[in-house]
Amino acid sequence: MQGTGKFALERLADGLATRHGLGARERQALLALPGSVVRCRAATEIAPGDGDARVHFVIEGLLASARQLAGGRRQVSALYIPGDLCGLDRAVAPRRGWEVCASCDSLVLSLSRQAVTGIAQEHPPIARALWGETALQAGITAEWLVGLGRRDAKSRLAHLLCEMGLRLEAAGLGSRQHFRLDASQALLADVLGLTSVHVSRTLQELRGEGLAIARGRIIEVPDWPRLARAAEFEPDYLRPALAAASPPAAMMTVQGTGQATLG
Amino acid sequence: MQGTGKFALERLADGLATRHGLGARERQALLALPGSVVRCRAATEIAPGDGDARVHFVIEGLLASARQLAGGRRQVSALYIPGDLCGLDRAVAPRRGWEVCASCDSLVLSLSRQAVTGIAQEHPPIARALWGETALQAGITAEWLVGLGRRDAKSRLAHLLCEMGLRLEAAGLGSRQHFRLDASQALLADVLGLTSVHVSRTLQELRGEGLAIARGRIIEVPDWPRLARAAEFEPDYLRPALAAASPPAAMMTVQGTGQATLG
DNA sequence: CGCCTTCTTGAGGGTTCTCAAAGTGGGTGG
DNA sequence: CCACCCACTTTGAGAACCCTCAAGAAGGCG
């Protein structure tokens, strides 16, 4: 833990305000939220044990909410990029057996369940905003469900690249044609319900068709509409997320890689 | 459309009250909600076109929220049984491309998006309750996601039978060992991300091992713990739903089939 | 430079799909 | 009451997609 997270709270307040139209009073309340900034290393679980009881606002990096099954099987149910709130659903409908882990070195603002539900109780507009965020995440989960159930590996991966491209672009982290997705192929496999071996092959297939080129963790999309067509991607479900303004320029500098750092 | 849905609103208010601890004031507000009771036939879409704009409280029957893809592929993202609110997430985070259809002849109370968000705005406890319901549904979706990604057909189907057994039992519609799941194998296929052919074979496999016997649409589970073990079923994610009291006896009569009818 | 993680490549096998056809059951009309 | 029809379920055979296992190559970091 380090810092008070003032910048992070500002960014959280800005995000909710632009997406859900909050007033100055709610903004003030959000800025007064008690929370601590936590840095966590790649591939480690955040606050193992009581991670369920906390809500994490992603400042930098990439978080994954995953469930571990017997036999080493693992399934990721959501990815959270900077600006996202992770664990909202579990804050109001607790369930165990889920872990939150960082895909790369990440920086999060950790909020207690009580702080989040408390501020929602006192400020109806904030409750509405957080409810909306929960529903937005649910929409993304539903879309992933469709992919796992009815798309083959190629279009499933293509769909994920479309989604993450748009989300990262909306967050001010690169463009849909060029962004950094800081996830190993093993993590992608756990997102897509595949093996890492097959993710590797599928990635090469996409490259072979010129749909998406992955170099390291940078994704290059030469012809975005074509990728979207291959993925049967319909961005409608992301609309509320894309409505978000980019974070204020004073706070972020977008580098060539599309990776953001705090100013 | 038929009736004012007074009984339905009472049941909705009771459900939310027992699950989320609402007071008399909120209960009164819920009972004053404007809505209409709609009967809809099996395998038909509810309010096609503007179905997105409505929230449906299930009185009787079984609803499915599904997405249609090219080539006749279809994926169901959620099943709603009596007592459930369908479409809450889309009410606060609209997205298109999803249909709500009835798996069997069903009776629903149809509420406008505005009525739902409006009552939530005026009554913070109701907002909190509806947020909780949204999060509960999101938890179920996440659990399905894990199944589609990491379970084979047999345990996936077993898991669904465990879940629906518990949910129907909590709703007062049969017991986990004996309940009616009013879905065709084609619908189950769209829930499980399989083909109806494979659902048929998998159902026979479960029967062969004595895990679950489907006769018509009645499911018989001789040894529930064994089925739960085979499915790696952990009911934790349903906890908020199972906390619900059974509907008042005056309203419901549970028949031998586990199917409920209005008194 | 060497280690460790990650990615790639190959070969064989298993789960599930596709296509096709036959069987079952409930409802309706003659 | 029977015949018909429709939706649903079952069965079979072959193919496709993805997995498993295993080993080697590449990349990052001390």
Side-chain angles (χ1 to χ4, degrees), chain B residues 71-82:
Chain B
R73 289 168 303 159
R74 216 171 87 106
Q75 177 66 43
V76 169
S77 71
L79 290 177
Y80 302 92
I81 66 168

Side-chain angles (χ1 to χ4, degrees), chain A residues 2-225:
Chain A
Q2 55 197 70
T4 58
K6 182 157 173 276
F7 280 158
L9 284 171
E10 269 173 17
R11 190 162 166 202
L12 169 58
D14 286 347
L16 290 179
T18 51
R19 270 131 86 144
H20 304 279
L22 301 181
R25 191 159 160 274
E26 287 81 31
R27 230 185 96 83
Q28 286 304 318
L30 284 168
L31 292 178
L33 265 178
S36 56
V37 174
V38 179
R39 178 170 287 288
C40 65
R41 299 215 154 288
T44 61
E45 197 170 344
I46 293 187
D50 74 336
D52 285 356
R54 308 218 120 226
V55 174
H56 300 288
F57 176 72
V58 184
I59 302 169
E60 190 186 314
L62 184 66
L63 260 48
S65 169
R67 172 113 203 257
Q68 192 97 33
L69 297 179
R73 289 168 302 159
R74 214 172 89 104
Q75 178 66 45
V76 169
S77 71
L79 290 177
Y80 302 93
I81 67 169
D84 286 345
L85 278 165
C86 160
L88 269 185
D89 51 352
R90 266 162 295 149
V92 289
R95 62 194 137 98
R96 277 164 305 173
W98 291 82
E99 59 184 32
V100 173
C101 61
S103 166
C104 60
D105 289 351
S106 299
L107 206 58
V108 306
L109 176 69
S110 180
L111 306 163
S112 75
R113 201 173 77 78
Q114 291 80 358
V116 172
T117 56
I119 198 174
Q121 192 172 356
E122 290 184 27
H123 300 270
I126 293 179
R128 168 59 205 261
L130 295 177
W131 183 15
E133 293 292 309
T134 306
L136 167 63
Q137 266 302 328
I140 295 176
T141 310
E143 200 66 37
W144 285 19
L145 190 81
V146 172
L148 284 178
R150 293 302 182 204
R151 287 192 239 264
D152 64 10
K154 189 161 71 177
S155 63
R156 213 182 295 169
L157 176 52
H159 197 280
L160 181 70
L161 294 181
C162 286
E163 177 187 311
M164 296 312 290
L166 286 195
R167 286 172 65 188
L168 289 166
E169 181 179 281
L173 303 168
S175 72
R176 64 188 71 181
Q177 287 98 3
H178 180 97
F179 57 92
R180 178 181 182 84
L181 183 59
D182 227 325
S184 70
Q185 292 185 8
L187 183 74
L188 290 181
D190 288 341
V191 168
L192 299 169
L194 301 169
T195 58
S196 63
V197 171
H198 204 64
V199 168
S200 172
R201 290 194 227 269
T202 308
L203 229 25
Q204 290 172 59
E205 222 178 325
L206 288 183
R207 165 196 296 264
E209 299 181 23
L211 288 170
I213 296 119
R215 268 199 320 278
R217 282 164 182 196
I218 307 294
I219 309 292
E220 200 94 42
V221 180
D223 184 348
W224 201 85

Side-chain angles (χ1 to χ4, degrees), chain B residues 3 47 52 91-92 96 125 211-212 242:
Chain B
D52 286 355
V92 289
R96 279 163 304 172
L211 287 171
L242 305 185

